[in-house]
Amino acid sequence: MSDATASDIDADALARWLSERQPGPAAPHLARIGGGQSNPTWFVDWGEARFVLRKKPAGPILPGAHAVEREFRVLDALRDTGVPVPRVRWLEEDPAVLGTPFYVMDRLEGRVFDDARLPGVTPGERREMYLDMARTLARLHAVRPDAVGLEDYGKPGNYFARQIARWTKQYEASTGPRIAALDRLVDWLPRHMPEDDGAVAIAHGDFRIGNLMFHPTEPRVIGVLDWELSTLGHPLADLGFCVIPWHSAPEEYGGLLGTDWAAAGIPAPETFVAEYHAHARPTAELRPFHIAFALFRFAVIFVGIADRARAGSAASAEAATLAPLAERFAIRATEVIDAGAATGEAGP
């Protein structure tokens, strides 16, 4: 029995593949998980086992995007660390099985919030959930890549220079219209990079509320999800990404700007950043550059979503609606730049 259509996934092929690895029923029960803009994902019930399957989307994708193989590798490497991650089971790189490479991991039971306002919890819980998010990121960055076999997971050093070049290349490869704010960032970011301080960490690349699973009843993170953008990188890239909600509106992928987030119990960005630094390895302070860079990356990701929507291969039916967020996030990045220039402040 399956809730997925034949065009989504070949249940018979998956049953044959699973049966070679773990005894189970004649067919899996599949349920597509909606809401994501990354790799198509399903819940898979296989007898008593409860799994999650993630695969690359069909159709053309930007070079290096949707790397489920890397996602599997980093999750497996972090299994015995203090970073809460699901247990991965099997990776299949042969596209002949289900059309694109995929992997299977254990399913966690908990709460996932698409809205940074964390609806349905008390102010006290919201505060602790945000602070535990900061602590969880600090624990990730405290893991030494060479201690878990990830010393070659990316190129150490000059992270921001390489990333700006990479995302600029992806933006320039887009078939969509040019975005004035993104063009400005392409020019501004390379000229305002801080001097490379050599800091290297396992960088998640998309560390935000929507990619965390919280305990069913407790205000703590039990799973960090969606690792397809992970690499060896600078810890402040992840931290800058974490403070995007304070610089974006609710209609902009569930941000906080314009809401009374303080009354709701959500800590100020300065408090969030201080909690991170209290638990992280020593690193430099967060500056407007890091936030603008994070918004730039997010904007280019949405450029890719728009391209896939036009090509008919986006992972979500909402992709065409979300595509305009590329310009919105680019504009937010220029606002961060302008605010920093006006005030001379270095913090979030």
Side-chain angles (χ1 to χ4, degrees):
M1 175 177 171
S2 173
D3 295 334
T5 65
S7 62
D8 285 331
I9 198 167
D10 186 335
D12 292 335
L14 178 60
R16 291 191 295 270
W17 185 88
L18 283 171
S19 65
E20 294 174 355
R21 289 153 179 81
Q22 180 169 309
H29 183 280
L30 304 174
R32 179 73 178 264
I33 305 172
Q37 302 305 316
S38 54
N39 296 314
T41 305
W42 286 262
F43 287 142
V44 180
D45 289 348
W46 181 244
E48 297 299 317
R50 293 163 65 81
F51 297 133
V52 172
L53 183 150
R54 280 173 63 81
K55 68 191 293 287
K56 289 188 179 183
I61 58 176
L62 291 170
H66 305 281
V68 296
E69 303 89 347
R70 287 176 61 82
E71 193 168 339
F72 179 92
R73 181 185 175 190
V74 70
L75 285 168
D76 193 44
L78 292 171
R79 178 184 299 185
D80 297 322
T81 68
V83 182
V85 293
R87 179 186 178 189
V88 289
R89 294 286 184 165
W90 309 287
L91 170 68
E92 180 54 70
E93 298 181 86
D94 185 355
V97 178
L98 293 180
T100 59
F102 65 93
Y103 71 93
V104 173
M105 60 183 166
D106 287 352
R107 179 176 173 179
L108 298 176
E109 300 296 336
R111 297 173 289 171
V112 176
F113 298 87
D114 292 330
D115 190 332
R117 293 170 292 184
L118 300 178
V121 302
T122 67
E125 289 174 319
R126 285 192 192 95
R127 177 178 176 81
E128 184 55 30
M129 290 165 86
Y130 265 88
L131 295 180
D132 199 52
M133 176 184 178
R135 293 189 290 265
T136 300
L137 183 62
R139 286 197 294 273
L140 168 63
H141 291 165
V143 176
R144 300 285 183 177
D146 57 354
V148 293
L150 293 178
E151 61 276 4
D152 62 346
Y153 195 61
K155 297 179 181 178
N158 297 314
Y159 174 78
F160 290 109
R162 290 184 288 102
Q163 283 286 298
I164 291 168
R166 172 192 173 185
W167 292 101
T168 296
K169 183 178 179 180
Q170 292 206 5
Y171 168 52
E172 292 175 344
S174 168
T175 58
R178 299 299 89 186
I179 299 172
L182 262 178
D183 291 335
R184 179 185 172 192
L185 293 169
V186 166
D187 174 70
W188 187 92
L189 287 168
R191 294 189 292 105
H192 292 82
M193 277 188 300
E195 183 177 351
D196 183 37
D197 61 4
V200 177
I202 300 168
H204 180 273
D206 196 9
F207 199 94
R208 55 187 170 86
I209 286 289
N211 284 334
L212 302 179
M213 179 173 286
F214 290 89
H215 187 276
T217 59
E218 300 173 13
R220 61 182 176 88
V221 178
I222 63 168
V224 182
L225 313 174
D226 203 350
W227 290 79
E228 69 179 83
L229 297 177
S230 59
T231 187
L232 296 187
H234 199 287
L236 292 181
D238 272 346
L239 187 59
F241 195 81
C242 277
V243 302
I244 283 179
W246 286 276
H247 298 276
S248 59
E251 64 271 19
E252 296 166 354
Y253 224 56
L256 301 169
L257 195 64
T259 70
D260 194 356
W261 46 263
I266 296 172
E270 295 83 2
T271 304
F272 179 91
V273 170
E275 186 73 7
Y276 168 85
H277 281 297
H279 294 84
R281 297 206 314 252
T283 188
E285 65 178 334
L286 189 70
R287 301 183 64 86
F289 166 86
H290 303 109
I291 304 169
F293 166 77
L295 286 158
F296 165 71
R297 281 181 64 253
F298 215 27
V300 178
I301 288 171
F302 279 99
V303 168
I305 291 171
D307 288 346
R308 294 198 304 277
R310 281 188 294 271
S313 60
S316 168
E318 296 178 313
T321 300
L322 293 172
L325 288 178
E327 182 174 23
R328 299 289 290 276
F329 283 116
I331 290 172
R332 294 302 186 195
T334 63
E335 291 172 351
V336 169
I337 290 170
D338 292 340
T343 64
E345 293 181 359

